[in-house]
Amino acid sequence: MPDQLPEIELEDRGSKGRYLLRGPDGAEAEMTFTKIGEHQIIIDHTEVPDAFRGQGAGLRLVTRAVEDARAAGKKIIPLCPFANAQFRRHQEWADVLKR
């Protein structure tokens, strides 16, 4: 059985924040966002180091943001090319995509 993937952490810094996965070797996969008012966030950057490659870390980060946005009634503007590509692949996320 593969090692359990680390839990995703949310760091909220007021108008900005990030979702974070910490690897056992100190590597960090992150997706940063900026809040626009009360009801929108912009995903502006996703970075997945080699230590996380092939584990779906980037997709897990975007999925968590989608789940959190849906729960809070927020919309997402995926400016980050990776997040934007994931939104194109996942039509079931259309309800949280800012059009």
Side-chain angles (χ1 to χ4, degrees), residues 3 13 21 24 27 34 50 53 56 68 73 78 82 85 89-90 95:
D3 290 338
R13 301 194 190 103
L21 277 167
T34 303
D50 289 340
R53 294 263 183 251
D68 287 357
F82 176 82
R89 284 191 195 113
H90 294 271
D95 61 309

Side-chain angles (χ1 to χ4, degrees), residues 18-93:
R18 69 180 184 151
Y19 289 95
L20 178 68
L21 277 167
R22 293 182 204 270
D25 57 355
E28 292 182 352
E30 70 168 4
M31 184 188 71
T32 60
F33 62 88
T34 303
K35 297 175 192 170
I36 305 298
E38 292 291 308
H39 304 290
Q40 295 178 49
I41 68 165
I42 294 172
I43 296 176
D44 38 37
H45 180 69
T46 305
E47 187 165 334
V48 178
D50 289 340
F52 284 99
R53 294 263 183 251
Q55 300 176 39
L59 176 57
R60 286 187 64 214
L61 293 167
V62 179
T63 301
R64 168 68 188 272
V66 167
E67 291 166 352
D68 287 357
R70 190 174 278 146
K74 294 184 179 181
K75 297 285 186 189
I76 295 175
I77 303 166
L79 286 188
C80 157
F82 176 82
N84 197 337
Q86 294 302 321
F87 267 91
R88 284 199 303 274
R89 284 191 195 113
H90 294 271
Q91 296 303 310
E92 70 274 18
W93 295 350

